[in-house]
Amino acid sequence: MARIAGRFGRVEPRASARSYLLGLLSSVERKNCWKLAEQAGHVRPGPMLRLLRYARWDADAVRDDLRAYAADHLGTDGAVLIVDETGFVKKGHASAGVQRQYTGTAGRIENSQVGVFLALATERGRALIDRRLYLPEHSWSNDPERRRRAGIPEAVQFATKPRLAGDMITAALDAGVTASWVTGDEAYGQDPHLRPVLEARGISYVLAVACSTRVRINQGRTLVRADTAAGRLPATAWQRHSAGNGAKGPRYYDWAWIHIGTGNHRHLLVRRNKTTGELAFYLCWSPTTVTLAELVRVAGIRWSIEECFQAAKSHVGLDHYQVRHWTSWHRHITLAMLALAFLTAVAASAAPARTAERHHPARSNDPIPLTVPEIRHLLAVVFNPPAVTAARLLHWSTWRRHHQATARRSHYRRRSLHEPAG
């Protein structure tokens, strides 16, 4: 709070922000404004609602503080920037950017919002450091009235998800974040504009692409599909490497790389599942010579952002918001990211020194290092307010039921206006 306190001009929103963050770190099951206000001991959710919607503070400035905080605590050893998106399933059509679209969260087309995120991953941990709400072109960007109702600024125009990713990467580098690599899935690897942006900044990348991607081999003389190039590899071209540790130990795959283009630093990286034989492909570039092991490390670390999404949604309520406004979405998401970064920083500071036992857990009888879920559990006990009285519980129960009754009457009236007279 000391780091971001200056972003709030008045003491009231500053106090609300602290209560909001403590609520996100608490054991409250649903981390929306109602529940967070009750957890904070408020008699109504007004202060939390004003914090997200009407209070004067800049969520992007807090995002800048968060980004610097994460870089300070996670360090720069082996730093990789990771881009990916996640969905927030919603009802209705008033929430900024919502429409029926594919989201990996549900694994199908759903009525949802989609956020594009940037994560920083180092040897000490990983954290989300930037976010952009994707604004669909036809249903939102070109509808002035709908934009006005959702509070979308006029300066915000349609941008593809890879363009949003490129903007976040550029902003992080301009802010002094030190990272040598960028990685992302096919949605970003297939984009023809993101890779030149990274090359212009001298940032190496390992970006997933489809098997149908065409690459030039034989010093650029032959144009073939990626899977065709992989099919021509001899058995001796494959090497066994771990893509990093998973929940059940090292994730070993067979890997091969093929020089593509006319330079010495472009490669097609191919991963083969040792059990199923399934192939995955990555376009790689670096301004200097790198090893196959380094490309494998970066490819494997891409899954860190999925772990960030899971932790943020499970432990700090990234997707628990019940807001529709553009400003409110960015404020809640930023505070949730800050709560996750705090947990990650605590975990990094509590981690033991790197030893052989850390690389070979089966050889050690020591407990595992403190994890984000365990730290949040401990903090929830430390910051748990005094026992709530029966009167306070009944007060909030009555408030919720009155509010829900008002909403139900409104829905019934609206529905009756569209029904023919009996």
Short mmCIF file of all heavy atoms in Angstrom, two decimals, residues 26-83:
data_model
loop_
_atom_site.label_atom_id
_atom_site.label_comp_id
_atom_site.label_asym_id
_atom_site.label_seq_id
_atom_site.Cartn_x
_atom_site.Cartn_y
_atom_site.Cartn_z
N SER A 26 -8.30 -12.51 1.42
CA SER A 26 -9.00 -13.21 2.48
C SER A 26 -9.56 -14.54 1.99
O SER A 26 -9.41 -14.90 0.82
CB SER A 26 -10.13 -12.34 3.03
OG SER A 26 -11.22 -12.30 2.10
N SER A 27 -10.24 -15.23 2.87
CA SER A 27 -10.85 -16.52 2.53
C SER A 27 -12.29 -16.38 2.07
O SER A 27 -13.00 -17.38 1.95
CB SER A 27 -10.79 -17.46 3.74
OG SER A 27 -11.45 -16.87 4.86
N VAL A 28 -12.74 -15.14 1.80
CA VAL A 28 -14.10 -14.94 1.30
C VAL A 28 -14.27 -15.73 0.01
O VAL A 28 -13.43 -15.68 -0.89
CB VAL A 28 -14.36 -13.44 1.04
CG1 VAL A 28 -15.70 -13.23 0.35
CG2 VAL A 28 -14.35 -12.69 2.37
N GLU A 29 -15.37 -16.45 -0.11
CA GLU A 29 -15.55 -17.34 -1.25
C GLU A 29 -15.74 -16.57 -2.55
O GLU A 29 -15.13 -16.90 -3.56
CB GLU A 29 -16.75 -18.26 -1.00
CG GLU A 29 -16.97 -19.28 -2.11
CD GLU A 29 -18.12 -20.23 -1.81
OE1 GLU A 29 -18.68 -20.13 -0.71
OE2 GLU A 29 -18.44 -21.06 -2.68
N ARG A 30 -16.64 -15.58 -2.55
CA ARG A 30 -16.89 -14.77 -3.74
C ARG A 30 -16.39 -13.36 -3.48
O ARG A 30 -16.90 -12.67 -2.58
CB ARG A 30 -18.38 -14.73 -4.08
CG ARG A 30 -18.93 -16.04 -4.60
CD ARG A 30 -18.32 -16.45 -5.92
NE ARG A 30 -18.58 -15.48 -6.98
CZ ARG A 30 -18.04 -15.56 -8.19
NH1 ARG A 30 -17.20 -16.52 -8.49
NH2 ARG A 30 -18.32 -14.64 -9.10
N LYS A 31 -15.42 -12.91 -4.25
CA LYS A 31 -14.77 -11.64 -3.98
C LYS A 31 -15.37 -10.53 -4.86
O LYS A 31 -14.69 -9.94 -5.69
CB LYS A 31 -13.27 -11.77 -4.18
CG LYS A 31 -12.63 -12.72 -3.16
CD LYS A 31 -11.16 -12.93 -3.41
CE LYS A 31 -10.49 -13.68 -2.28
NZ LYS A 31 -11.00 -15.02 -2.05
N ASN A 32 -16.69 -10.27 -4.65
CA ASN A 32 -17.32 -9.13 -5.31
C ASN A 32 -17.50 -8.02 -4.28
O ASN A 32 -17.17 -8.18 -3.09
CB ASN A 32 -18.66 -9.54 -5.93
CG ASN A 32 -19.59 -10.21 -4.93
OD1 ASN A 32 -19.71 -9.77 -3.79
ND2 ASN A 32 -20.26 -11.27 -5.34
N CYS A 33 -18.03 -6.88 -4.72
CA CYS A 33 -18.09 -5.71 -3.83
C CYS A 33 -18.94 -5.98 -2.59
O CYS A 33 -18.61 -5.50 -1.50
CB CYS A 33 -18.64 -4.51 -4.60
SG CYS A 33 -17.45 -3.76 -5.73
N TRP A 34 -20.03 -6.71 -2.74
CA TRP A 34 -20.86 -7.01 -1.58
C TRP A 34 -20.07 -7.76 -0.52
O TRP A 34 -20.05 -7.38 0.65
CB TRP A 34 -22.07 -7.84 -1.99
CG TRP A 34 -23.07 -7.17 -2.85
CD1 TRP A 34 -22.93 -5.98 -3.50
CD2 TRP A 34 -24.37 -7.66 -3.19
NE1 TRP A 34 -24.06 -5.69 -4.22
CE2 TRP A 34 -24.96 -6.69 -4.05
CE3 TRP A 34 -25.08 -8.80 -2.86
CZ2 TRP A 34 -26.24 -6.85 -4.57
CZ3 TRP A 34 -26.36 -8.96 -3.38
CH2 TRP A 34 -26.94 -8.00 -4.22
N LYS A 35 -19.44 -8.86 -0.94
CA LYS A 35 -18.74 -9.71 0.01
C LYS A 35 -17.50 -9.02 0.59
O LYS A 35 -17.18 -9.19 1.77
CB LYS A 35 -18.33 -11.02 -0.68
CG LYS A 35 -19.50 -11.93 -1.03
CD LYS A 35 -20.19 -12.45 0.23
CE LYS A 35 -21.26 -13.47 -0.10
NZ LYS A 35 -21.94 -13.97 1.12
N LEU A 36 -16.80 -8.24 -0.24
CA LEU A 36 -15.61 -7.56 0.25
C LEU A 36 -15.99 -6.47 1.24
O LEU A 36 -15.26 -6.23 2.22
CB LEU A 36 -14.81 -6.97 -0.92
CG LEU A 36 -14.23 -7.99 -1.91
CD1 LEU A 36 -13.37 -7.27 -2.95
CD2 LEU A 36 -13.42 -9.06 -1.20
N ALA A 37 -17.12 -5.80 1.01
CA ALA A 37 -17.59 -4.79 1.97
C ALA A 37 -17.97 -5.43 3.30
O ALA A 37 -17.65 -4.91 4.38
CB ALA A 37 -18.77 -4.03 1.39
N GLU A 38 -18.64 -6.56 3.24
CA GLU A 38 -18.99 -7.27 4.47
C GLU A 38 -17.74 -7.72 5.21
O GLU A 38 -17.64 -7.59 6.43
CB GLU A 38 -19.87 -8.47 4.14
CG GLU A 38 -20.35 -9.24 5.36
CD GLU A 38 -21.26 -10.40 5.00
OE1 GLU A 38 -21.43 -10.69 3.80
OE2 GLU A 38 -21.79 -11.03 5.93
N GLN A 39 -16.76 -8.24 4.47
CA GLN A 39 -15.51 -8.68 5.08
C GLN A 39 -14.78 -7.52 5.75
O GLN A 39 -14.17 -7.69 6.81
CB GLN A 39 -14.61 -9.30 4.00
CG GLN A 39 -13.18 -9.61 4.43
CD GLN A 39 -13.09 -10.82 5.34
OE1 GLN A 39 -14.07 -11.56 5.48
NE2 GLN A 39 -11.95 -11.04 5.95
N ALA A 40 -14.87 -6.33 5.16
CA ALA A 40 -14.19 -5.15 5.70
C ALA A 40 -14.91 -4.53 6.89
O ALA A 40 -14.38 -3.60 7.51
CB ALA A 40 -14.02 -4.11 4.60
N GLY A 41 -16.12 -5.01 7.19
CA GLY A 41 -16.88 -4.45 8.31
C GLY A 41 -17.74 -3.26 7.94
O GLY A 41 -18.25 -2.56 8.82
N HIS A 42 -17.92 -3.00 6.64
CA HIS A 42 -18.79 -1.91 6.21
C HIS A 42 -20.25 -2.32 6.38
O HIS A 42 -20.58 -3.51 6.43
CB HIS A 42 -18.52 -1.57 4.74
CG HIS A 42 -17.12 -1.10 4.47
ND1 HIS A 42 -16.60 -0.97 3.21
CD2 HIS A 42 -16.12 -0.74 5.32
CE1 HIS A 42 -15.35 -0.55 3.28
NE2 HIS A 42 -15.04 -0.40 4.55
N VAL A 43 -21.11 -1.31 6.43
CA VAL A 43 -22.55 -1.59 6.57
C VAL A 43 -23.24 -1.63 5.22
O VAL A 43 -24.43 -1.97 5.14
CB VAL A 43 -23.23 -0.55 7.49
CG1 VAL A 43 -22.66 -0.62 8.89
CG2 VAL A 43 -23.07 0.86 6.92
N ARG A 44 -22.54 -1.26 4.17
CA ARG A 44 -23.11 -1.30 2.82
C ARG A 44 -21.93 -1.36 1.83
O ARG A 44 -20.79 -1.01 2.18
CB ARG A 44 -23.97 -0.07 2.54
CG ARG A 44 -23.21 1.24 2.60
CD ARG A 44 -24.14 2.45 2.51
NE ARG A 44 -23.40 3.69 2.39
CZ ARG A 44 -22.83 4.33 3.39
NH1 ARG A 44 -22.91 3.82 4.62
NH2 ARG A 44 -22.18 5.46 3.21
N PRO A 45 -22.19 -1.75 0.59
CA PRO A 45 -21.10 -1.89 -0.38
C PRO A 45 -20.70 -0.59 -1.06
O PRO A 45 -19.83 -0.59 -1.93
CB PRO A 45 -21.66 -2.88 -1.39
CG PRO A 45 -23.12 -2.63 -1.37
CD PRO A 45 -23.46 -2.30 0.06
N GLY A 46 -21.32 0.53 -0.69
CA GLY A 46 -21.06 1.80 -1.37
C GLY A 46 -19.60 2.17 -1.53
O GLY A 46 -19.16 2.53 -2.64
N PRO A 47 -18.77 2.10 -0.46
CA PRO A 47 -17.36 2.49 -0.61
C PRO A 47 -16.61 1.64 -1.64
O PRO A 47 -15.78 2.15 -2.39
CB PRO A 47 -16.79 2.29 0.80
CG PRO A 47 -17.96 2.48 1.70
CD PRO A 47 -19.12 1.88 0.96
N MET A 48 -16.90 0.34 -1.68
CA MET A 48 -16.23 -0.53 -2.65
C MET A 48 -16.70 -0.23 -4.07
O MET A 48 -15.90 -0.22 -5.02
CB MET A 48 -16.50 -2.00 -2.32
CG MET A 48 -15.98 -2.44 -0.96
SD MET A 48 -14.20 -2.20 -0.78
CE MET A 48 -13.91 -3.09 0.76
N LEU A 49 -18.00 0.00 -4.23
CA LEU A 49 -18.52 0.34 -5.56
C LEU A 49 -17.94 1.66 -6.06
O LEU A 49 -17.58 1.79 -7.23
CB LEU A 49 -20.05 0.41 -5.51
CG LEU A 49 -20.77 -0.92 -5.24
CD1 LEU A 49 -22.24 -0.67 -4.97
CD2 LEU A 49 -20.60 -1.85 -6.42
N ARG A 50 -17.85 2.66 -5.17
CA ARG A 50 -17.26 3.95 -5.57
C ARG A 50 -15.79 3.80 -5.94
O ARG A 50 -15.30 4.45 -6.86
CB ARG A 50 -17.42 4.97 -4.44
CG ARG A 50 -18.81 5.53 -4.31
CD ARG A 50 -18.83 6.78 -3.44
NE ARG A 50 -18.41 6.48 -2.07
CZ ARG A 50 -19.23 6.07 -1.12
NH1 ARG A 50 -20.52 5.89 -1.38
NH2 ARG A 50 -18.79 5.83 0.09
N LEU A 51 -15.07 2.92 -5.21
CA LEU A 51 -13.66 2.71 -5.52
C LEU A 51 -13.48 2.23 -6.96
O LEU A 51 -12.57 2.68 -7.66
CB LEU A 51 -13.08 1.67 -4.55
CG LEU A 51 -11.63 1.23 -4.83
CD1 LEU A 51 -10.67 2.36 -4.49
CD2 LEU A 51 -11.30 -0.04 -4.04
N LEU A 52 -14.36 1.36 -7.42
CA LEU A 52 -14.22 0.80 -8.76
C LEU A 52 -14.80 1.70 -9.84
O LEU A 52 -14.38 1.61 -11.00
CB LEU A 52 -14.91 -0.57 -8.83
CG LEU A 52 -14.32 -1.69 -7.97
CD1 LEU A 52 -15.01 -3.01 -8.28
CD2 LEU A 52 -12.82 -1.82 -8.14
N ARG A 53 -15.75 2.55 -9.49
CA ARG A 53 -16.46 3.29 -10.53
C ARG A 53 -16.22 4.80 -10.51
O ARG A 53 -15.90 5.40 -11.53
CB ARG A 53 -17.96 2.98 -10.42
CG ARG A 53 -18.83 3.74 -11.41
CD ARG A 53 -18.57 3.31 -12.85
NE ARG A 53 -19.43 4.01 -13.78
CZ ARG A 53 -19.16 5.21 -14.30
NH1 ARG A 53 -18.02 5.81 -13.99
NH2 ARG A 53 -19.99 5.78 -15.13
N TYR A 54 -16.37 5.45 -9.36
CA TYR A 54 -16.42 6.92 -9.34
C TYR A 54 -15.21 7.58 -8.68
O TYR A 54 -14.95 8.75 -8.94
CB TYR A 54 -17.69 7.38 -8.63
CG TYR A 54 -18.96 6.93 -9.32
CD1 TYR A 54 -19.75 5.91 -8.79
CD2 TYR A 54 -19.35 7.50 -10.53
CE1 TYR A 54 -20.91 5.49 -9.43
CE2 TYR A 54 -20.51 7.08 -11.18
CZ TYR A 54 -21.28 6.07 -10.63
OH TYR A 54 -22.42 5.66 -11.26
N ALA A 55 -14.51 6.90 -7.79
CA ALA A 55 -13.38 7.52 -7.10
C ALA A 55 -12.31 7.94 -8.10
O ALA A 55 -12.15 7.33 -9.16
CB ALA A 55 -12.79 6.54 -6.07
N ARG A 56 -11.57 8.99 -7.75
CA ARG A 56 -10.56 9.53 -8.66
C ARG A 56 -9.21 8.87 -8.40
O ARG A 56 -8.53 9.19 -7.43
CB ARG A 56 -10.46 11.05 -8.49
CG ARG A 56 -11.74 11.80 -8.86
CD ARG A 56 -11.58 13.30 -8.74
NE ARG A 56 -10.55 13.80 -9.65
CZ ARG A 56 -10.18 15.08 -9.70
NH1 ARG A 56 -10.73 15.98 -8.89
NH2 ARG A 56 -9.24 15.46 -10.56
N TRP A 57 -8.87 7.91 -9.25
CA TRP A 57 -7.53 7.31 -9.24
C TRP A 57 -7.31 6.63 -10.58
O TRP A 57 -8.25 6.27 -11.27
CB TRP A 57 -7.35 6.35 -8.07
CG TRP A 57 -8.25 5.15 -8.04
CD1 TRP A 57 -9.56 5.12 -7.65
CD2 TRP A 57 -7.91 3.80 -8.39
NE1 TRP A 57 -10.06 3.85 -7.73
CE2 TRP A 57 -9.08 3.01 -8.17
CE3 TRP A 57 -6.75 3.19 -8.84
CZ2 TRP A 57 -9.10 1.64 -8.42
CZ3 TRP A 57 -6.77 1.82 -9.08
CH2 TRP A 57 -7.94 1.06 -8.86
N ASP A 58 -6.06 6.49 -10.94
CA ASP A 58 -5.68 6.01 -12.26
C ASP A 58 -5.21 4.56 -12.16
O ASP A 58 -4.14 4.27 -11.61
CB ASP A 58 -4.57 6.90 -12.82
CG ASP A 58 -4.22 6.55 -14.27
OD1 ASP A 58 -4.66 5.50 -14.75
OD2 ASP A 58 -3.50 7.35 -14.90
N ALA A 59 -6.01 3.64 -12.70
CA ALA A 59 -5.65 2.22 -12.64
C ALA A 59 -4.38 1.93 -13.43
O ALA A 59 -3.61 1.03 -13.07
CB ALA A 59 -6.80 1.36 -13.16
N ASP A 60 -4.13 2.68 -14.51
CA ASP A 60 -2.91 2.45 -15.29
C ASP A 60 -1.67 2.86 -14.49
O ASP A 60 -0.61 2.23 -14.62
CB ASP A 60 -2.96 3.23 -16.60
CG ASP A 60 -3.89 2.58 -17.61
OD1 ASP A 60 -4.29 1.43 -17.39
OD2 ASP A 60 -4.21 3.23 -18.62
N ALA A 61 -1.78 3.90 -13.67
CA ALA A 61 -0.65 4.30 -12.83
C ALA A 61 -0.37 3.23 -11.77
O ALA A 61 0.79 2.91 -11.49
CB ALA A 61 -0.95 5.64 -12.16
N VAL A 62 -1.42 2.65 -11.20
CA VAL A 62 -1.23 1.55 -10.25
C VAL A 62 -0.64 0.35 -10.97
O VAL A 62 0.21 -0.37 -10.42
CB VAL A 62 -2.57 1.20 -9.56
CG1 VAL A 62 -2.42 -0.05 -8.69
CG2 VAL A 62 -3.07 2.37 -8.71
N ARG A 63 -1.07 0.11 -12.21
CA ARG A 63 -0.48 -0.95 -13.01
C ARG A 63 1.03 -0.75 -13.18
O ARG A 63 1.80 -1.71 -13.11
CB ARG A 63 -1.19 -1.00 -14.37
CG ARG A 63 -0.73 -2.07 -15.37
CD ARG A 63 0.47 -1.64 -16.23
NE ARG A 63 0.42 -0.27 -16.66
CZ ARG A 63 -0.21 0.17 -17.76
NH1 ARG A 63 -0.86 -0.68 -18.51
NH2 ARG A 63 -0.15 1.46 -18.08
N ASP A 64 1.43 0.50 -13.41
CA ASP A 64 2.86 0.79 -13.52
C ASP A 64 3.60 0.44 -12.24
O ASP A 64 4.71 -0.12 -12.27
CB ASP A 64 3.07 2.27 -13.86
CG ASP A 64 2.54 2.64 -15.24
OD1 ASP A 64 2.28 1.72 -16.04
OD2 ASP A 64 2.37 3.85 -15.49
N ASP A 65 2.99 0.79 -11.08
CA ASP A 65 3.60 0.45 -9.79
C ASP A 65 3.68 -1.06 -9.61
O ASP A 65 4.68 -1.58 -9.11
CB ASP A 65 2.79 1.07 -8.65
CG ASP A 65 2.83 2.59 -8.66
OD1 ASP A 65 3.81 3.15 -9.18
OD2 ASP A 65 1.89 3.20 -8.14
N LEU A 66 2.63 -1.75 -10.00
CA LEU A 66 2.60 -3.21 -9.90
C LEU A 66 3.71 -3.83 -10.75
O LEU A 66 4.41 -4.75 -10.31
CB LEU A 66 1.23 -3.71 -10.35
CG LEU A 66 1.11 -5.09 -11.00
CD1 LEU A 66 1.40 -6.17 -9.98
CD2 LEU A 66 -0.26 -5.29 -11.62
N ARG A 67 3.86 -3.32 -11.97
CA ARG A 67 4.88 -3.86 -12.88
C ARG A 67 6.28 -3.68 -12.28
O ARG A 67 7.10 -4.62 -12.31
CB ARG A 67 4.77 -3.15 -14.22
CG ARG A 67 5.67 -3.67 -15.31
CD ARG A 67 5.29 -3.03 -16.64
NE ARG A 67 5.28 -1.57 -16.55
CZ ARG A 67 4.58 -0.77 -17.35
NH1 ARG A 67 3.84 -1.28 -18.31
NH2 ARG A 67 4.63 0.54 -17.21
N ALA A 68 6.53 -2.52 -11.72
CA ALA A 68 7.84 -2.27 -11.09
C ALA A 68 8.03 -3.13 -9.85
O ALA A 68 9.13 -3.64 -9.59
CB ALA A 68 7.97 -0.79 -10.74
N TYR A 69 6.97 -3.30 -9.08
CA TYR A 69 7.02 -4.12 -7.87
C TYR A 69 7.37 -5.56 -8.22
O TYR A 69 8.23 -6.19 -7.58
CB TYR A 69 5.66 -4.05 -7.18
CG TYR A 69 5.49 -4.95 -5.97
CD1 TYR A 69 5.98 -4.58 -4.72
CD2 TYR A 69 4.83 -6.17 -6.08
CE1 TYR A 69 5.81 -5.40 -3.62
CE2 TYR A 69 4.67 -6.99 -4.99
CZ TYR A 69 5.15 -6.61 -3.76
OH TYR A 69 4.98 -7.42 -2.67
N ALA A 70 6.72 -6.12 -9.25
CA ALA A 70 7.00 -7.49 -9.65
C ALA A 70 8.44 -7.64 -10.13
O ALA A 70 9.13 -8.61 -9.78
CB ALA A 70 6.02 -7.91 -10.74
N ALA A 71 8.90 -6.68 -10.93
CA ALA A 71 10.28 -6.75 -11.43
C ALA A 71 11.29 -6.65 -10.29
O ALA A 71 12.31 -7.37 -10.28
CB ALA A 71 10.52 -5.64 -12.45
N ASP A 72 11.01 -5.81 -9.30
CA ASP A 72 11.92 -5.65 -8.16
C ASP A 72 12.04 -6.94 -7.36
O ASP A 72 13.14 -7.31 -6.92
CB ASP A 72 11.42 -4.53 -7.24
CG ASP A 72 11.59 -3.15 -7.86
OD1 ASP A 72 12.31 -3.04 -8.86
OD2 ASP A 72 10.98 -2.20 -7.33
N HIS A 73 10.93 -7.64 -7.16
CA HIS A 73 10.93 -8.81 -6.28
C HIS A 73 11.24 -10.12 -6.99
O HIS A 73 11.69 -11.07 -6.35
CB HIS A 73 9.58 -8.91 -5.56
CG HIS A 73 9.41 -7.89 -4.49
ND1 HIS A 73 9.81 -8.09 -3.18
CD2 HIS A 73 8.89 -6.64 -4.52
CE1 HIS A 73 9.54 -7.01 -2.47
NE2 HIS A 73 8.98 -6.12 -3.26
N LEU A 74 10.97 -10.19 -8.29
CA LEU A 74 11.23 -11.43 -9.02
C LEU A 74 12.58 -11.43 -9.70
O LEU A 74 13.05 -12.48 -10.15
CB LEU A 74 10.13 -11.69 -10.04
CG LEU A 74 8.72 -11.87 -9.47
CD1 LEU A 74 7.73 -12.21 -10.57
CD2 LEU A 74 8.70 -12.94 -8.38
N GLY A 75 13.20 -10.27 -9.84
CA GLY A 75 14.52 -10.19 -10.44
C GLY A 75 14.48 -10.34 -11.96
O GLY A 75 13.41 -10.29 -12.58
N THR A 76 15.65 -10.52 -12.54
CA THR A 76 15.77 -10.58 -14.00
C THR A 76 16.43 -11.85 -14.50
O THR A 76 16.62 -12.01 -15.70
CB THR A 76 16.57 -9.36 -14.52
OG1 THR A 76 17.89 -9.38 -13.93
CG2 THR A 76 15.88 -8.06 -14.17
N ASP A 77 16.78 -12.77 -13.60
CA ASP A 77 17.46 -14.00 -14.02
C ASP A 77 16.55 -14.83 -14.91
O ASP A 77 15.50 -15.31 -14.48
CB ASP A 77 17.88 -14.83 -12.80
CG ASP A 77 18.98 -14.16 -12.00
OD1 ASP A 77 19.63 -13.26 -12.56
OD2 ASP A 77 19.18 -14.53 -10.83
N GLY A 78 16.96 -15.00 -16.16
CA GLY A 78 16.18 -15.80 -17.10
C GLY A 78 14.81 -15.24 -17.39
O GLY A 78 13.89 -15.99 -17.71
N ALA A 79 14.64 -13.92 -17.29
CA ALA A 79 13.32 -13.31 -17.40
C ALA A 79 12.71 -13.52 -18.78
O ALA A 79 13.36 -13.35 -19.80
CB ALA A 79 13.41 -11.81 -17.10
N VAL A 80 11.42 -13.90 -18.79
CA VAL A 80 10.66 -14.11 -20.02
C VAL A 80 9.33 -13.38 -19.89
O VAL A 80 8.67 -13.46 -18.84
CB VAL A 80 10.40 -15.62 -20.26
CG1 VAL A 80 9.57 -15.82 -21.53
CG2 VAL A 80 11.72 -16.38 -20.36
N LEU A 81 8.93 -12.67 -20.94
CA LEU A 81 7.60 -12.07 -21.00
C LEU A 81 6.68 -13.02 -21.75
O LEU A 81 7.04 -13.52 -22.82
CB LEU A 81 7.66 -10.71 -21.71
CG LEU A 81 8.43 -9.60 -20.99
CD1 LEU A 81 8.54 -8.36 -21.88
CD2 LEU A 81 7.78 -9.24 -19.66
N ILE A 82 5.51 -13.27 -21.19
CA ILE A 82 4.56 -14.23 -21.76
C ILE A 82 3.25 -13.52 -22.05
O ILE A 82 2.73 -12.80 -21.18
CB ILE A 82 4.30 -15.40 -20.80
CG1 ILE A 82 5.60 -15.91 -20.19
CG2 ILE A 82 3.55 -16.52 -21.50
CD1 ILE A 82 5.40 -16.85 -19.01
N VAL A 83 2.71 -13.73 -23.24
CA VAL A 83 1.41 -13.13 -23.60
C VAL A 83 0.39 -14.24 -23.78
O VAL A 83 0.69 -15.32 -24.30
CB VAL A 83 1.51 -12.28 -24.89
CG1 VAL A 83 2.34 -11.04 -24.65
CG2 VAL A 83 2.10 -13.10 -26.04
#
